[in-house]
Amino acid sequence: MMNTTLLEDLADVAKDSALLQGVLMRIQETPNSSELVTYAPFTLFPTPVPKTVFSQALAVQTHYNTLVDKISQDPDFLHEALASTIAVDDFTARLFRIHQQILKEGRSQSIVLGLNRSDYMLDQGEDGSSSLKQIEINTVAASFGGLSSRTPDVHRHILKVAGRPEESQRILDNNPAAGLARAVSKAWELYGSERAVVMFLVEESQRNVFDQRYIENELWKRNIPTMRRRFDDVSKTGSLDQDKRLFVDGREVAVVYFRNGYMPQNYTSEQTWDARLLMERSLAVKCPDISTHLAGTKKVQQVLATPGVLEKFFPDQPRVVEQIRATFAGLYTLDMGPEGDKTVAMALAAPDRFVLKPQREGGGNNIYGSQICQVLQGVKASTERTAYILMDKIHPTPVRNYLLRRDAPLQISNCLSELGVFGTYVRHGKDMVMNECVGHLLRTKSSEHSDGGVAAGVAVLDNPLLV
């Protein structure tokens, strides 16, 4: 056990190393609204992860890529899966109306680009074994591919300074930024105009800008021009020509990479929604397009767990179905009817066994424990309950670690980790021209927090140490 002075010295080394390696995050200072560049929060030490489940998560990712793509091409499935949700959830309904309009007009672009991240926790069984269980799949604005490309060098350096050189060599290489950029560059290449740009569609205020810059830099290495614009910029300067080519600020856009647009608060006006529709109607490759965005909703995740549904998408591939289904946690409908009533009763009887999930992205939205009872008691007899799904609560094994945050004291915590796996695919018409697993992400938080990611100020960046 290291003494306190040694740990504090090591923490200082770690923070300096993070800055040197470029593990940075732009945050907003509230006192005077000035911006400060600092290191992103991270763990002092890497977290042990069983090699078998880590390999399992990587191996299934290309199947998840294929599944998301197949769902996006099946409008009947999306309509049936989301029918109850869009009746009560205004945000999902607005997205779905754009989807319907694009179907009515006909898709302008046959090139499809997917940058996904599938998130998991390790569920500890009563016999002490760990099994991989999916929390969700992110099909829009999947973040931290950039910063997670830099964290391995930080932990390698920390372990060397701590006198653990052998363990430092066990930190895996990881470069999701390069893999994500490789897929974007393939879509840009297929678009076929060297003058056209990749447009990052970003938020008004960016705390996580450096995560995106790594991917931008990878594109510039390939001589692919990029620009960063907001919904307001598209609304004011965006237009389509007679061939539906998208122009923003007078520049032709080959690829729209959405790092915004996944939460209701991102759409501040009708003009914002009009800008989203303009981009969806355009010839530009969208990442994601509207149907792929909808494929990543919580309700679709729950429907996929229904017996027989995966077989519909993989009719002659029982092994693929088995690999995907093995990662599912228990997922339960709250639709009106006997099955939904059973789910409500089950949740009210044992709320600590479950997580209540709304159709929202961005972290910090899930409902736990006694709050489940409060919410369900209020909506159990109403169609409002169909805005949620219920999922079994996953029980990972806590690990002790130090979470390094700016201006936070150094103290050991019981920690829980979440493994993310990045996947990319590019389809041109009916031909899948790229389908890859391009890296991983480990995020760790104190066990006192039920929900929330890095951007929400709860979790920190980490690295797996395979055991």
Side-chain angles (χ1 to χ4, degrees):
M1 183 73 180
M2 298 181 185
N3 64 43
T4 302
T5 303
L6 283 173
L7 278 168
E8 289 174 348
D9 287 346
L10 194 59
D12 288 338
V13 167
K15 294 170 186 176
D16 291 342
S17 176
L19 289 167
L20 286 168
Q21 294 295 339
V23 183
L24 302 170
M25 194 173 188
R26 188 180 296 275
I27 64 172
Q28 194 75 24
E29 288 292 279
T30 50
N32 57 10
S33 296
S34 62
E35 288 185 333
L36 174 71
V37 176
T38 185
Y39 63 88
F42 63 103
T43 58
L44 183 56
F45 299 108
T47 293
V49 173
K51 188 182 297 184
T52 52
V53 292
F54 181 82
S55 299
Q56 179 189 2
L58 267 57
V60 76
Q61 184 58 43
T62 54
H63 299 322
Y64 267 116
N65 293 344
T66 302
L67 177 60
V68 168
D69 186 50
K70 285 176 178 285
I71 292 168
S72 74
Q73 297 178 72
D74 193 333
D76 292 338
F77 172 79
L78 280 173
H79 185 270
E80 185 178 347
L82 292 172
S84 61
T85 302
I86 60 178
V88 296
D89 187 281
D90 289 341
F91 178 61
T92 308
R94 288 297 299 263
L95 295 172
F96 195 80
R97 285 203 292 274
I98 293 175
H99 165 69
Q100 287 181 308
Q101 183 163 344
I102 298 304
L103 288 178
K104 183 178 178 181
E105 294 180 8
R107 290 187 173 97
S108 301
Q109 181 54 263
S110 62
I111 302 165
V112 176
L113 168 63
L115 305 181
N116 303 325
R117 195 191 70 225
S118 188
D119 293 334
Y120 307 91
M121 276 185 162
L122 304 186
D123 194 33
Q124 184 179 23
E126 293 181 1
D127 60 355
S129 63
S130 292
S131 59
L132 189 75
K133 295 301 174 188
Q134 188 188 59
I135 299 166
E136 63 182 355
I137 188 161
N138 302 275
T139 63
V140 55
S143 59
F144 295 109
L147 294 184
S148 61
S149 300
R150 307 299 296 177
T151 52
D153 285 338
V154 175
H155 274 141
R156 286 181 185 128
H157 184 64
I158 293 168
L159 289 171
K160 286 176 185 175
V161 174
R164 303 286 184 88
E166 297 85 3
E167 290 182 4
S168 75
Q169 294 173 11
R170 290 166 52 199
I171 301 293
L172 299 170
D173 288 335
N174 190 37
N175 195 358
L180 296 169
R182 188 164 58 248
V184 175
S185 67
K186 172 56 75 174
W188 177 86
E189 174 191 318
L190 290 170
Y191 183 85
S193 174
E194 291 186 358
R195 296 188 307 274
V197 303
V198 173
M199 183 176 74
F200 284 61
L201 199 285
V202 299
E203 294 173 283
E204 196 67 36
S205 178
Q206 282 291 302
R207 296 178 64 236
N208 199 22
V209 63
F210 288 95
D211 182 56
Q212 301 164 17
R213 290 293 191 191
Y214 284 116
I215 301 168
E216 282 187 70
N217 288 343
E218 290 287 342
L219 291 171
W220 279 108
K221 288 178 186 177
R222 294 166 168 82
N223 296 315
I224 297 174
T226 71
M227 67 180 188
R228 299 169 64 80
R229 293 296 184 270
R230 298 169 176 83
F231 271 120
D232 192 47
D233 300 314
V234 177
S235 182
K236 289 176 179 176
T237 72
S239 63
L240 306 184
D241 70 4
Q242 67 273 18
D243 298 318
K244 291 194 175 180
R245 292 184 299 171
L246 173 65
F247 290 84
V248 177
D249 281 337
R251 306 180 74 182
E252 184 179 356
V253 177
V255 178
V256 179
Y257 178 19
F258 285 96
R259 293 298 296 250
N260 190 14
Y262 53 90
M263 296 187 290
Q265 55 265 40
N266 299 148
Y267 297 83
T268 56
S269 65
E270 283 302 309
Q271 288 74 28
T272 313
W273 283 107
D274 290 343
R276 177 68 188 265
L277 177 59
L278 180 79
M279 291 183 281
E280 293 293 341
R281 293 181 66 233
S282 78
L283 190 65
V285 181
K286 279 73 66 177
C287 181
D289 62 21
I290 192 68
S291 56
T292 306
H293 186 160
L294 291 168
T297 54
K298 305 295 187 295
K299 182 59 181 177
V300 167
Q301 180 189 12
Q302 179 261 305
V303 172
L304 287 172
T306 306
V309 174
L310 282 180
E311 286 82 356
K312 166 183 165 61
F313 293 106
F314 299 98
D316 302 311
Q317 297 174 274
R319 178 60 181 150
V320 172
V321 169
E322 181 185 340
Q323 285 179 271
I324 294 174
R325 185 166 285 141
T327 67
F328 286 171
L331 291 153
Y332 311 97
T333 182
L334 283 162
D335 285 354
M336 304 307 290
E339 193 174 355
D341 292 343
K342 181 181 176 182
T343 300
V344 170
M346 187 171 64
L348 292 175
D352 290 334
R353 286 181 47 210
F354 303 102
V355 181
L356 189 63
K357 298 178 128 184
Q359 308 300 313
R360 294 294 177 267
E361 304 296 334
N365 300 299
N366 295 335
I367 299 162
Y368 299 83
S370 60
Q371 286 188 313
I372 292 178
C373 296
Q374 293 173 24
V375 172
L376 286 183
Q377 288 288 5
V379 301
K380 65 180 182 180
S382 163
T383 55
E384 294 298 314
R385 78 188 196 190
T386 63
Y388 302 88
I389 67 163
L390 193 73
M391 186 174 106
D392 283 345
K393 190 174 182 181
I394 301 169
H395 297 282
T397 304
V399 174
R400 306 272 278 175
N401 208 333
Y402 296 86
L403 310 182
L404 301 183
R405 290 192 181 89
R406 181 175 172 270
D407 295 335
L410 181 68
Q411 59 186 34
I412 198 164
S413 303
N414 284 324
C415 300
L416 306 176
S417 295
E418 184 175 322
L419 175 66
V421 178
F422 292 97
T424 65
Y425 65 89
V426 178
R427 177 170 50 80
H428 192 192
K430 294 183 178 180
D431 297 327
M432 187 71 85
V433 297
M434 177 182 289
N435 184 3
E436 297 179 349
C437 171
V438 297
H440 59 270
L441 164 70
L442 195 69
R443 290 168 294 174
T444 294
K445 63 185 179 186
S446 169
S447 59
E448 67 189 40
H449 296 290
S450 296
D451 194 24
V454 178
V458 174
V460 306
L461 299 173
D462 198 351
N463 276 299
L465 186 70
L466 299 189
V467 294

